[in-house]
Amino acid sequence: FKSSMTSNGYLFDEDTVQKAVSLWRLQKVQITLDGTEAIYNRSKAFIYDVAASPYRRVVRNIGLLLDAGIRVTVRLNLGLHNADDLFALVRQLSNMYGKRKGFCCYAHVLFEESAGSGNVRQTDESRRLVYEKLEQLESLMADLGIRGKDASLPKETRQHWCMADNGKSIMIAPTGDIGLCEHYSEDHFISHIDSADVVDEAAVAKFRQRREGI
């Protein structure tokens, strides 16, 4: 078997990376960065000891993963609040890892719903501006040779909507609860790592139901 994962990248170290290669057969990791050091540390607000800067640790761990032959895709969460800072981040990452095999980046526009109840809903003009920034950022990544997402047509018809219904992915919460969707980390669980052979099939089936209006 082989595996891939989405991670914040913080808890990796030399021993964990070697375990990922030998036991998990990890081939690819996606890590999200929201900006350069000050913006990243403020937005993530880790509860860990921040004396050494979480940003610096995560960026260092990208190098550890690449050294072990594990591919790393950096996802850049883009909004108007951090768009200009991401240009600086892309240049930093390019200088550090742009020539490394297995490294790439892609940008993703933040959804309004993910910013919390206090978020101001976007207007048509703000949407235009954020997608304009997205186009500029993708162009910069392409020029630097680190843009990962290919805009070409897929080779086959997509048979699933997301990770929850593709039959290949799971989400493990810090509590050990197992779910199917990365966006449901507090509920909608289907099992637990201590009893992984017991699966809530009704919860699994619910993820595969198409919502009205979609």
Side-chain angles (χ1 to χ4, degrees):
F1 71 91
K2 60 184 178 181
S3 70
S4 62
M5 69 184 296
T6 299
S7 170
N8 62 22
Y10 184 85
L11 293 178
F12 280 112
D13 56 26
E14 288 82 354
D15 291 339
T16 307
V17 169
Q18 290 308 310
K19 182 186 292 185
V21 172
S22 61
L23 297 182
W24 309 344
R25 301 187 187 180
L26 189 64
Q27 296 196 343
K28 178 182 177 181
V29 178
Q30 176 176 291
I31 295 174
T32 298
L33 293 177
D34 302 278
T36 53
E37 186 169 4
I39 287 182
Y40 175 88
N41 289 344
R42 184 171 67 246
S43 64
K44 292 299 185 187
F46 282 127
I47 63 173
Y48 312 115
D49 178 14
V50 297
S53 174
Y55 172 83
R56 295 185 186 184
R57 176 166 177 159
V58 171
V59 171
R60 180 210 66 170
N61 289 345
I62 290 173
L64 293 180
L65 292 162
L66 293 171
D67 289 343
I70 299 171
R71 302 194 309 275
V72 177
T73 297
V74 172
R75 168 172 153 154
L76 308 169
N77 281 340
L78 172 68
L80 288 180
H81 67 288
N82 71 337
D84 292 334
D85 185 68
L86 290 181
F87 289 91
L89 174 62
V90 162
R91 291 187 174 92
Q92 287 181 15
L93 293 174
S94 176
N95 289 335
M96 296 181 69
Y97 300 122
K99 299 185 183 302
R100 297 291 301 274
K101 182 179 179 181
F103 177 80
C104 65
C105 301
Y106 79 98
H108 182 80
V109 173
L110 287 172
F111 294 109
E112 292 169 334
E113 292 83 358
S114 67
S117 59
N119 182 46
V120 177
R121 293 194 65 81
Q122 293 187 29
T123 63
D124 289 342
E125 176 62 11
S126 66
R127 287 191 182 93
R128 184 191 69 79
L129 289 173
V130 77
Y131 278 98
E132 186 177 276
K133 293 290 186 181
L134 175 64
E135 184 177 351
Q136 294 170 1
L137 187 61
E138 289 183 335
S139 178
L140 175 61
M141 289 188 291
D143 290 343
L144 295 172
I146 60 173
R147 183 172 178 233
K149 290 278 185 172
D150 192 348
S152 61
L153 291 173
K155 295 180 180 179
E156 57 185 26
T157 303
R158 184 175 180 178
Q159 299 296 318
H160 59 272
W161 286 80
C162 66
M163 68 174 283
D165 70 348
N166 69 11
K168 299 178 181 178
S169 302
I170 62 170
M171 183 281 304
I172 303 177
T175 57
D177 290 298
I178 298 174
L180 293 180
C181 179
E182 60 188 315
H183 300 293
Y184 288 96
S185 59
E186 298 181 357
D187 50 28
H188 293 74
F189 301 126
I190 65 166
S191 189
H192 190 277
I193 58 173
D194 292 332
S195 54
D197 55 331
V198 179
V199 177
D200 185 344
E201 297 294 348
V204 174
K206 190 171 183 179
F207 275 113
R208 294 174 178 165
Q209 294 174 1
R210 182 174 297 186
R211 291 191 314 180
E212 233 178 280
I214 296 181

